[in-house]
Amino acid sequence: QSVLTQVPSVSGAPGQGVTISCTGTTSNIGAGYGVQWYQQLPGTAPKVLIYGATNRPSGVSDRFSGSIFGTSASLAITGLQADDEADYYCQSYDNSLGAWVFGGGTKLTVL
Amino acid sequence: QVRLQESGPGLVKPSGTLSLTCTVSGGSIGNNIYYWGWIRQPPGKGLEWVGSVYFSGSTYYNPSLKSRLTIFVDRSKNQFSLKLTSVTAADTSVYYCARHSTTVSSNFDSWGQGTLVTVSS
């Protein structure tokens, strides 16, 4: 059971958009510790897509965007491409655990 | 550009000690704006933060692993290491080393490629 809750899977057709949600509590996302999103392609290490809930590192496509509201955050992906098929994880800090925490991950399938 | 590389045995016996080292290149582990951490991922499952260390030796451990875990830094070799004792099959995972900044809202911005450690007799 992960501290941050994500739906296990989402899917979309090429060119469409999807949103992946991450639900936390007042001890993590709601406490203002920010949210990061990572993309993990099969057999590779995770790569940061979004940091501080809404910021993209240089080199990350603007098809990826993040938002935050209260104790939840979302990752939106527009114009789906086949190579977007991956696992996506949210991450924050939890002050009741004193630990950096991850969501359980969402597998994106591009139909 | 900083690069991280994990090394260590790929097979550990149950009740034994899992030991891994992360070698940092392209940057100094003594940089005071970063923590150096370990994250693991059981086969087919999600990510779990294991623990992190600062260049001074200060450590931050996942409470669920704290009693079995030691993480330390060797500045002379630009390396940091993990030791996890009394391992069981549940500790079988890909172990990643990663860098993150010294704020609680930090992200893990650079990762090693990961190394699979299997606990089995």
Side-chain angles (χ1 to χ4, degrees):
Chain A
Q1 188 86 6
S2 300
V3 173
L4 305 179
T5 302
Q6 297 180 241
V7 292
S9 62
V10 296
S11 62
Q16 289 187 335
V18 295
T19 299
I20 299 173
S21 64
C22 176
T23 301
T25 69
T26 54
S27 295
N28 40 69
I29 296 175
Y33 292 123
V35 177
Q36 284 61 244
W37 289 94
Y38 300 85
Q39 177 192 59
Q40 187 177 32
L41 297 170
T44 70
K47 163 193 165 185
V48 61
L49 287 179
I50 299 289
Y51 66 94
T54 61
N55 304 293
R56 272 189 313 274
S58 60
V60 173
S61 170
D62 60 4
R63 296 188 299 106
F64 297 93
S65 63
S67 61
I68 188 169
F69 185 79
T71 58
S72 294
S74 295
L75 172 70
I77 310 172
T78 60
L80 280 174
Q81 301 174 359
D83 58 6
D84 294 331
E85 198 160 278
D87 294 321
Y88 293 83
Y89 293 90
C90 60
Q91 175 254 310
S92 186
Y93 179 83
D94 190 285
N95 62 17
S96 67
L97 296 172
W100 284 275
V101 293
F102 289 90
T106 297
K107 182 176 181 61
L108 169 62
T109 300
V110 181
L111 302 170
Chain B
Q1 179 180 349
V2 70
R3 288 178 298 278
L4 296 90
Q5 178 68 57
E6 305 88 352
S7 59
L11 182 64
V12 181
K13 294 186 186 305
S15 78
T17 297
L18 184 160
S19 298
L20 294 173
T21 294
C22 182
T23 301
V24 179
S25 58
S28 172
I29 205 167
N31 190 320
N32 64 1
I33 67 169
Y34 292 113
Y35 294 137
W36 304 91
W38 292 95
I39 295 110
R40 70 180 184 178
Q41 184 173 36
K45 297 187 178 181
L47 301 166
E48 179 184 36
W49 173 72
V50 173
S52 298
V53 65
Y54 192 49
F55 79 94
S56 64
S58 297
T59 52
Y60 309 87
Y61 295 154
N62 187 316
S64 69
L65 299 170
K66 187 173 184 177
S67 64
R68 300 190 291 130
L69 182 63
T70 302
I71 299 177
F72 57 95
V73 63
D74 186 337
R75 295 182 61 184
S76 68
K77 296 182 179 179
N78 224 34
Q79 295 176 333
F80 62 105
S81 299
L82 168 155
K83 288 189 183 298
L84 186 65
T85 62
S86 304
V87 297
T88 69
D91 295 309
T92 294
S93 290
V94 174
Y95 285 78
Y96 296 99
C97 57
R99 181 185 78 173
H100 60 125
S101 64
T102 57
T103 63
V104 291
S105 58
S106 63
N107 69 88
F108 297 90
D109 65 354
S110 296
W111 297 64
Q113 64 184 25
T115 187
L116 175 64
V117 179
T118 301
V119 178
S120 175
S121 55

